[in-house]
Amino acid sequence: MPLLYTDPLFLEHETGHHPECPERLSRILENIDGSELNKRYTRPQFKAATGEQIARVHNSNYVQLVSKFAEKGGGRIEADTVVSPQSYDATRLACGAGIAAVDAVLTGDEIRAACLVRPPGHHALRHQAMGFCLFNNIAVAAKHAVEHHKLSRVLIVDWDVHHGNGTQATFYRSENVYFLSIHRHPFYPGTGTEDETGEGPGLGTTMNLPIEFGTSRDDYFSRFQIMIKDIAAQCRPELVLLSAGFDAHRLDPVGSLGLETHDYIMLTQLVADIANEYADRRLISFLEGGYNLEILPDCVRVHLETLAGDAEGI
């Protein structure tokens, strides 16, 4: 039975009148709890990430800055990112969810996990918050897989409508972690062009697939399918991690690339197929963006149904 990592503390990351609000997650969980899907996932207990685990990705002075900022009541830590008194604890727990999921799928009987966490993480940089993100949840998880479990090849796939610049920056010189992002471009945060392919030991481990607004869904999927097969063949991953944003949906107020809810079934299956072929089926999903409160719960539901169904059908 696949694993679902979430916690009420994530709802206490209060952001006020902001697209990345607690209701995003509460609506998702209400939708899951009211469906048969709730019976198909186990919800394990887990702990917050330690300072040492977070410091694999983030500068210790920055970690302390977030802590002190929350202690003093919070506010905007940068133009787009809000901190409340509970945000530091929530973002440490979000990183802890990813670490626990990595431990579980690498050492236990389960092969699939989903982390429904807040705040999201893929824009967070080593020294600063960015784009609604405080700590980079998926990067912390990937570092844990490499440094604690000694994996040699991890693949991160990011289909959020925004480029995962923080994740890319973390692993731009890494030979162990490959990164594939499909995203709208030109668009926030302005990174993610095709010529950004890594540096030094990491040259060739980064692949970006920028998609112009108005690109057809058929073209979106055909290009993504080619790219994910290419990078998987190069990487031959031992573990696949997924930054699952849902703001490429045509009704999303922040992003939009014209996708429909059922398109996330195909996207999920394409990533699951790579995990099945190369990574002994091991796949962990992390919630990133998605800001239409009516559409987001259904997008996440079909994503989780596909993850569970693929695992059960193997």
Side-chain angles (χ1 to χ4, degrees):
M1 184 176 289
L3 307 172
L4 180 63
Y5 293 86
T6 195
D7 192 274
L9 180 60
F10 299 137
L11 302 178
E12 296 184 37
H13 168 56
E14 295 282 356
T15 54
H17 186 66
H18 192 278
E20 205 296 285
C21 59
E23 196 173 3
R24 295 178 63 238
L25 183 55
S26 63
R27 291 276 194 100
I28 291 169
L29 296 176
E30 287 168 7
N31 198 28
I32 293 171
D33 292 342
S35 73
E36 288 295 312
L37 185 60
N38 191 43
K39 301 175 183 177
R40 299 172 69 185
Y41 279 82
T42 300
R43 299 194 188 189
Q45 297 294 312
F46 58 100
K47 300 183 295 185
T50 66
E52 180 182 0
Q53 290 168 331
I54 294 170
R56 291 169 177 160
V57 171
H58 295 287
N59 176 274
S60 59
N61 290 335
Y62 168 63
V63 175
Q64 287 300 310
L65 171 67
V66 177
S67 174
K68 297 296 185 184
F69 202 81
E71 281 182 16
K72 293 179 180 179
R76 286 193 180 260
I77 198 167
E78 61 97 36
D80 297 315
T81 308
V82 176
V83 171
S84 70
Q86 295 299 318
S87 294
Y88 176 68
D89 291 338
T91 194
R92 285 182 59 228
L93 190 62
C95 289
I99 290 169
V102 168
D103 289 342
V105 302
L106 291 179
T107 63
D109 296 328
E110 304 305 334
I111 56 169
R112 297 287 159 79
C115 300
L116 296 182
V117 299
R118 293 181 61 250
H122 72 152
H123 294 308
L125 298 165
R126 178 165 178 78
H127 298 89
Q128 70 182 72
M130 185 176 180
F132 312 166
C133 304
L134 291 173
F135 298 157
N136 196 318
N137 313 315
I138 200 166
V140 170
K143 281 281 191 178
H144 184 67
V146 170
E147 297 190 13
H148 180 75
H149 292 281
K150 308 304 181 185
L151 296 194
S152 299
R153 301 178 309 281
V154 175
L155 173 60
I156 299 177
V157 179
D158 189 331
W159 73 44
D160 191 279
V161 79
H162 305 97
H163 179 242
N165 62 301
T167 309
Q168 174 175 293
T170 301
F171 300 109
Y172 208 56
R173 296 183 59 84
S174 172
E175 60 185 344
N176 302 116
V177 180
Y178 286 64
F179 178 66
L180 169 63
S181 178
I182 181 170
H183 50 272
R184 182 174 164 182
H185 190 84
F187 202 48
Y188 181 90
T191 52
T193 57
E194 290 180 346
D195 60 356
E196 296 170 23
T197 59
E199 290 179 347
L203 185 62
T205 63
T206 294
M207 286 189 185
N208 284 299
L209 182 51
I211 300 291
E212 293 183 358
F213 182 75
T215 298
S216 72
R217 289 159 60 218
D218 286 346
D219 192 26
Y220 177 102
F221 277 104
S222 64
R223 293 171 67 186
F224 179 67
Q225 187 170 19
I226 291 169
M227 289 284 279
I228 195 171
K229 288 183 176 181
D230 283 351
I231 197 169
Q234 290 183 39
C235 177
R236 304 189 67 82
E238 299 163 287
L239 174 68
V240 179
L241 306 178
L242 170 63
S243 274
F246 299 90
D247 40 6
H249 195 284
R250 68 179 179 87
L251 296 178
D252 192 90
V254 175
S256 178
L257 265 178
L259 298 189
E260 301 287 352
T261 300
H262 62 267
D263 288 332
Y264 289 101
I265 299 172
M266 185 184 299
L267 274 174
T268 304
Q269 192 61 58
L270 286 171
V271 179
D273 287 346
I274 296 302
N276 295 343
E277 182 173 358
Y278 294 100
D280 199 20
R281 306 175 293 177
R282 297 180 293 206
L283 170 60
I284 304 169
S285 169
F286 294 75
L287 178 65
E288 300 284 1
Y291 306 100
N292 183 317
L293 295 178
E294 304 301 322
I295 297 298
L296 176 61
D298 286 335
C299 292
V300 174
R301 177 179 51 78
V302 301
H303 169 61
L304 295 179
E305 286 174 347
T306 307
L307 278 182
D310 181 81
E312 293 161 357
I314 293 171

